[in-house]
Amino acid sequence: MGKRGFWDKLKKPIVGLAPMDGVTDFAFRHMLAKYGKPSIIFTEFVNVEGLARGAVKMLSAFIYEEKERPIVGQLFGVEVDSFYKSALMLCALGFDGIDINMGCPVNKIAKRGSGAGLIKTPEIAKKIILTVKKAAEDFANGAELKDVGVSDEMIKKIEEMNFGKGEFVRKIIPISVKTRIGYDKIVAEEWVKHLLEVKPANITMHGRT
């Protein structure tokens, strides 16, 4: 596995709040962190193409509180360059990790090559993982959002979301993958071999196609 960060510090057994679209929003996570804190919390997934093109409203999915840590922001999409920009944004927001969704089977997502659709294109999937890992490394080494074409409006919103959280140290955060055992048939063993080639920090796998 790659740089695992907080993953190596989680007490066993690990009980996580899975990323669920339309469910794990800020209000839901706030209540869970307050009354039944899991080992790790994930946000809803957010589309990288939208973020990279300046959809400021999408950033609301990444509002979080310190008591949610360790908290991981989840992204989905298929454009490699958009993954890079979006990953830099999550780094700038101080997330503890970034998770790449390679498991959503919803037609409008998977049919265009995102989510579970990436199981059918392992070379693209591996390139995405490597790109997100590079973004995390670049941010740790001083990369700025403005230098990669992130809009001024997006940068301003990110700064507003960071207000009051204090300074955070630029460090390489772990990149993980959420996926499933196959898209339309079981290919778990072959698929995981592809993922392991690029050494994500963690792989979470659904037990169904």
Side-chain angles (χ1 to χ4, degrees):
M1 293 290 184
K3 295 181 175 66
R4 288 177 50 84
F6 71 86
W7 286 100
D8 283 333
K9 300 175 183 178
L10 297 177
K11 294 181 180 180
K12 306 298 189 299
I14 298 172
V15 178
L17 172 63
M20 294 175 281
D21 187 39
V23 178
T24 52
D25 59 9
F26 173 70
F28 185 90
R29 290 185 277 107
H30 167 81
M31 295 302 291
L32 204 65
K34 184 175 181 179
Y35 295 108
K37 178 71 167 61
S39 309
I40 178 174
I41 290 177
F42 292 81
T43 69
E44 300 173 90
F45 67 178
V46 179
N47 179 251
V48 296
E49 287 83 15
L51 288 170
R53 287 165 177 71
V56 177
K57 289 184 178 180
M58 285 185 169
L59 288 173
S60 63
F62 296 131
I63 296 171
Y64 68 90
E65 299 173 297
E66 291 298 303
K67 64 184 176 183
E68 294 179 57
R69 294 189 185 279
I71 182 164
V72 178
Q74 195 186 65
L75 300 170
F76 82 95
V78 71
E79 293 180 0
V80 176
D81 289 345
S82 294
F83 264 104
Y84 183 87
K85 285 185 180 180
S86 300
L88 279 184
M89 293 182 210
L90 264 62
C91 290
L93 285 167
F95 276 91
D96 297 303
I98 298 173
D99 191 72
I100 304 169
N101 185 297
M102 297 186 179
C104 180
V106 176
N107 276 338
K108 66 179 181 179
I109 291 174
K111 291 294 185 184
R112 64 181 295 271
S114 303
L118 286 166
I119 297 173
K120 289 189 171 184
T121 56
E123 294 307 314
I124 295 176
K126 288 186 283 187
K127 190 172 183 180
I128 287 171
I129 295 169
L130 289 173
T131 297
V132 175
K133 289 174 69 174
K134 185 176 188 307
E137 292 175 3
D138 288 350
F139 185 82
N141 290 324
E144 298 289 350
L145 297 180
K146 62 181 180 180
D147 296 333
V148 296
V150 177
S151 71
D152 291 341
E153 190 178 4
M154 293 289 277
I155 294 173
K156 181 180 178 181
K157 181 61 177 178
I158 289 170
E159 290 173 347
E160 290 175 357
M161 290 168 67
N162 283 337
F163 182 76
K165 290 185 177 178
E167 294 292 327
F168 62 87
V169 178
R170 285 184 180 245
K171 61 183 179 181
I172 300 176
I173 61 174
I175 310 305
S176 57
V177 172
K178 183 188 83 72
T179 187
R180 59 182 57 230
I181 60 175
Y183 178 63
D184 48 16
K185 61 181 179 180
I186 296 175
V187 293
E189 187 173 348
E190 179 184 353
W191 172 227
V192 168
K193 285 180 180 178
H194 280 295
L195 296 177
L196 290 175
E197 287 178 19
V198 289
K199 300 179 180 179
N202 191 75
I203 299 172
T204 304
M205 181 169 284
H206 290 230
R208 58 188 173 85
T209 57

